[in-house]
Amino acid sequence: MAEAAYTIGQVARAAGVNLETVRFYHRRGLLPLPGRPYGAVRRYGEESLARLRFIRRAQRLGFALDEVAALLQLNDGRSCSAARGLAERKLAVVEDRLKDLSALRDQLTSLVRRCRTQRGKVHCPLIDALNEN
Amino acid sequence: MAEAAYTIGQVARAAGVNLETVRFYHRRGLLPLPGRPYGAVRRYGEESLARLRFIRRAQRLGFALDEVAALLQLNDGRSCSAARGLAERKLAVVEDRLKDLSALRDQLTSLVRRCRTQRGKVHCPLIDALNEN
DNA sequence: CTTGACTCCGTACTCAAGTACGTACCTAGA
DNA sequence: TCTAGGTACGTACTTGAGTACGGAGTCAAG
């Protein structure tokens, strides 16, 4: 089974990222530079595509590129507890952000509601709230 | 009642922001440059302090500085419906972010749980999940 | 009158995660 | 063979919200 050999534009499209992003990941050391088996043009195999998808998935889970790099170091399938530690720390951050965000939602909801029931009064409850104290 | 007349360092401390941030808000047009009533040094009154606090409060509600500028335009206390529109749009964004974030939390939670119950198996469920498909 | 802290102002740098640009080179199809 | 479009690579620009730096001026205390 011959490996597919994508050019950079093809692998970028296949992974759903911008071509320049692929180059950027090379510079960041997240993706090794492939060789050029047929001439002057580099060819990307399935393992490059898999890695690009790994990176995007990890990003969707809220990992920054530095953290993705750490996860990639652990990609031997061992070091499960190190990976878990990373995920646990990330989870704690996510839960904090959730708490903040839902407090924010409650405040905004209440301000919008007050704005809507405000009739003919001179001041805007939202602006007033921002000016308060 | 004489207005307090802060120097830039004092008003920054009073508002809990970095001195350079005050300058930055001047450059961004969010805070007017005060005069220099006693010599070469600019003096900030209570209205500057109030505005700095307004900005920070609006930021905590999730408004970007451009949006804060728009809110400040509306600070006449009228244009309540315009302010409400801003808040409603912001609320929608916040609710979207909340949905994403809680999906993220669920995924991370499940990965961490699987990592913890994994015993002696060769692969790490977290890494596997990132490599999947 | 000197010292140390503060201010003024402009410019430049930071971070994260890319995106864009320029120039040269290569490659596939008509 | 020509040409359109893709690639290689290095460098510079983008966004948002600041932070830092450098040199000159100023101010208050001792």
Side-chain angles (χ1 to χ4, degrees):
Chain A
M1 50 186 180
E3 280 238 322
Y6 310 101
T7 64
I8 190 172
Q10 288 164 351
V11 79
R13 268 192 300 283
V17 305
N18 190 303
L19 176 151
E20 299 291 344
T21 302
V22 176
R23 287 199 221 288
F24 172 69
Y25 290 164
H26 288 316
R27 292 199 292 273
R28 286 289 306 255
L30 290 169
L31 183 67
L33 267 173
R36 357 191 164 205
Y38 313 129
V41 173
R42 294 183 186 283
R43 299 294 173 150
Y44 295 76
E46 292 300 339
E47 74 295 343
S48 293
L49 185 51
R51 178 159 287 210
L52 281 172
R53 295 200 166 128
F54 182 105
I55 295 169
R56 299 259 109 180
R57 257 180 242 121
Q59 281 189 299
R60 254 181 274 132
L61 286 179
F63 292 96
L65 290 185
D66 281 357
E67 296 168 324
V68 177
L71 286 171
L72 284 168
Q73 303 282 56
L74 305 175
N75 206 352
D76 51 12
R78 305 305 184 102
S79 349
C80 187
S81 72
R84 196 183 77 204
L86 244 53
E88 281 171 338
R89 284 197 290 288
K90 187 52 60 183
L91 180 55
V93 169
V94 167
E95 280 176 340
D96 276 4
R97 227 185 297 165
L98 265 171
K99 225 181 293 173
D100 288 355
L101 218 49
S102 74
L104 178 50
R105 180 196 47 201
D106 295 348
Q107 282 180 71
L108 280 172
T109 303
S110 127
L111 285 172
V112 167
R113 184 162 12 81
R114 281 194 270 151
C115 275
R116 269 204 271 258
T117 58
Q118 187 266 12
R119 288 280 169 251
K121 297 181 197 101
V122 179
H123 288 287
C124 171
L126 170 57
I127 300 290
D128 284 358
L130 292 171
N131 273 318
E132 234 149 59
N133 209 316
Chain B
M1 51 186 179
E3 280 239 321
Y6 310 101
T7 65
I8 189 171
Q10 288 164 349
V11 80
R13 269 193 300 283
V17 304
N18 191 302
L19 178 150
E20 300 289 346
T21 302
V22 177
R23 288 200 220 287
F24 171 69
Y25 289 165
H26 288 317
R27 294 198 292 271
R28 287 290 305 253
L30 290 169
L31 183 66
L33 268 173
R36 355 189 165 209
Y38 314 129
V41 174
R42 294 183 186 283
R43 298 296 172 147
Y44 294 76
E46 292 301 339
E47 74 296 342
S48 293
L49 184 51
R51 177 159 289 209
L52 282 172
R53 294 198 167 131
F54 182 106
I55 295 169
R56 298 259 112 178
R57 258 179 242 120
Q59 281 189 298
R60 254 180 275 130
L61 286 178
F63 293 96
L65 289 186
D66 280 356
E67 297 168 325
V68 177
L71 286 172
L72 284 167
Q73 304 281 55
L74 305 175
N75 205 352
D76 51 14
R78 305 307 183 100
S79 350
C80 188
S81 71
R84 196 184 76 204
L86 244 53
E88 282 171 340
R89 284 196 290 287
K90 187 52 59 183
L91 181 54
V93 169
V94 166
E95 281 176 340
D96 276 5
R97 225 184 300 165
L98 265 170
K99 225 180 294 173
D100 288 356
L101 217 50
S102 74
L104 178 50
R105 179 196 46 201
D106 295 347
Q107 282 180 72
L108 280 172
T109 303
S110 126
L111 285 172
V112 166
R113 184 163 10 82
R114 280 194 271 152
C115 274
R116 267 203 273 259
T117 58
Q118 187 266 12
R119 287 279 167 251
K121 298 182 197 99
V122 178
H123 286 288
C124 172
L126 170 56
I127 299 291
D128 284 356
L130 292 172
N131 273 320
E132 233 150 61
N133 209 319

